[in-house]
Amino acid sequence: MFSLFYQSPSLLILLLCNYFVQTKLIHHSFQENGKEPVKYSVVDAFTDSAFKGNPAAVLLLEEEKDEQWLQSVAAEFNISETCYLTRLTHSDSSVPRFHLRWFTPVDEVNLCGHATLAAAHTLFTSGEVDSNIIEFVTLSGILTAKRILNFPTDPITEVLSAEDSILISKALGGATVINTRITTSTKIIAVVPSAKDVANLQPDFGALKNCPGMGIVVTAIAPPESGFDFHSRFFCPKLGVNEDPVCGSAHCALAPYWSKELGKCDFIAYQASPRGGVLNIHLDEQKQRVFLRGKAITVMEGILLA
């Protein structure tokens, strides 16, 4: 949201008239070509400040688009995630339901937390839904958003070999790695001695592409005085995202890990990327679900012309 201030009221009126004329011309042009303009928002997730947290582009589609178009648009935005929403009108559920897909600049992914938060924020704040709860049909099943995101856990499946741990340590710039685990989604959890070590990482992204797994989640316990339980960073160059500023799906793996280490199920986590972000997390051990809560702010709105 922004405001413009001018000394001349007539100039402001002229600019507003020009904006509305241009908007109508764009809409008319699309109708002549048999297309409808696609509105988009860019939302910074897991933050209450613009240009912090993790940005996601959110597009609300009138109908499903082909994958080449979806991937091309994501490449054009060139941020960590672009997500697409299509309302499902023929649903047995009484809750508003949307098909939700997530794309990095180079590939589609099965789960993305920050883009789901961005999508829910867009729907709740734009008036697209008259409900306190939304259901998303995704590659990871049905996800619910009720101002809180309800995601499946990403449990650890095995400990990595010593050889793989050495490879990861070198790719992380020679960082000391206490242990390494791999999760169901093939994320690697690499535990380092301190939150300072997490913040000071200088990874070799080319070398990270040769490491096992789809991406590396580096984590450490938070300092006692910080107000957080643990810190992390997530590197995923294989999917075209060298560093994901704040990754919700990574915390679906971190929550069960730190639950065992700390003996608790509620956390305040800090992702220590240059943009930074805060996540409030609850782990339901019985149902193996992770509940993520965070703030979001819309920083851009527009119309896609292609």
Side-chain angles (χ1 to χ4, degrees):
M1 181 176 177
F2 61 91
S3 300
L4 299 174
F5 298 93
Y6 295 94
Q7 292 182 346
S8 169
S10 60
L11 178 57
L12 176 58
I13 293 170
L14 179 62
L15 286 168
L16 288 172
C17 288
N18 183 61
Y19 168 78
F20 287 117
V21 167
Q22 291 295 327
T23 302
K24 289 193 74 174
L25 285 173
I26 290 170
H27 190 81
H28 180 69
S29 174
F30 269 83
Q31 286 183 324
E32 283 188 336
N33 294 325
K35 295 181 179 180
E36 285 293 327
V38 177
K39 294 181 181 179
Y40 72 84
S41 301
V42 175
V43 177
D44 288 341
F46 296 116
T47 181
D48 57 1
S49 301
F51 316 124
K52 299 290 185 180
N54 201 353
V58 182
L59 288 81
L60 185 59
L61 306 177
E62 294 295 326
E63 59 185 7
E64 300 287 353
K65 300 278 191 179
D66 66 79
E67 288 203 14
Q68 183 178 353
W69 185 90
L70 298 174
Q71 190 62 71
S72 295
V73 171
E76 187 73 13
F77 275 110
N78 197 32
I79 53 181
S80 57
E81 299 287 344
T82 297
C83 68
Y84 302 94
L85 291 161
T86 311
R87 186 185 289 270
L88 299 176
T89 54
H90 303 292
S91 170
D92 296 333
S93 175
S94 60
V95 174
R97 225 177 226 197
F98 292 82
H99 187 203
L100 174 60
R101 300 176 71 176
W102 309 279
F103 285 76
T104 75
V106 300
D107 205 358
E108 184 174 14
V109 296
N110 291 334
L111 184 65
C112 178
H114 86 274
T116 306
L117 175 59
H121 169 82
T122 298
L123 293 172
F124 281 133
T125 58
S126 66
E128 287 287 342
V129 295
D130 184 20
S131 172
N132 290 322
I133 185 169
I134 305 168
E135 292 181 343
F136 298 116
V137 178
T138 77
L139 290 176
S140 292
I142 296 176
L143 309 177
T144 59
K146 191 178 180 181
R147 312 291 175 177
I148 298 175
L149 303 179
N150 179 351
F151 281 4
T153 60
D154 184 13
I156 290 167
T157 57
E158 59 183 283
V159 177
L160 287 186
S161 67
E163 292 79 6
D164 284 336
S165 295
I166 292 170
L167 187 67
I168 290 168
S169 174
K170 289 180 178 179
L172 292 174
T176 300
V177 177
I178 298 172
N179 62 58
T180 51
R181 315 286 180 89
I182 188 165
T183 73
T184 301
S185 71
T186 73
K187 290 184 180 72
I188 305 298
I189 295 180
V191 183
V192 296
S194 71
K196 185 176 180 180
D197 294 318
V198 174
N200 291 339
L201 285 171
Q202 295 184 343
D204 179 338
F205 296 114
L208 282 177
K209 290 182 179 180
N210 297 320
C211 290
M214 57 91 75
I216 314 290
V217 185
V218 184
T219 188
I221 195 166
E225 71 281 1
S226 68
F228 300 106
D229 293 293
F230 59 87
H231 288 202
S232 69
R233 292 171 71 183
F234 181 42
F235 307 105
C236 198
K238 289 182 182 178
L239 292 179
V241 182
N242 282 345
E243 180 168 8
D244 199 342
V246 192
C247 181
S249 65
H251 288 80
C252 294
L254 289 169
Y257 173 81
W258 283 110
S259 179
K260 290 180 180 178
E261 294 293 316
L262 301 177
K264 58 193 292 187
C265 292
D266 293 285
F267 310 94
I268 302 177
Y270 180 68
Q271 189 145 344
S273 68
R275 290 175 66 101
V278 177
L279 304 91
N280 289 269
I281 306 166
H282 172 71
L283 171 67
D284 186 330
E285 289 185 297
Q286 184 175 0
K287 296 181 179 178
Q288 285 295 291
R289 305 293 293 185
V290 175
F291 296 87
L292 301 175
R293 184 171 57 212
K295 297 181 179 180
I297 180 171
T298 302
V299 296
M300 193 184 304
E301 292 179 339
I303 297 173
L304 190 63
L305 301 179

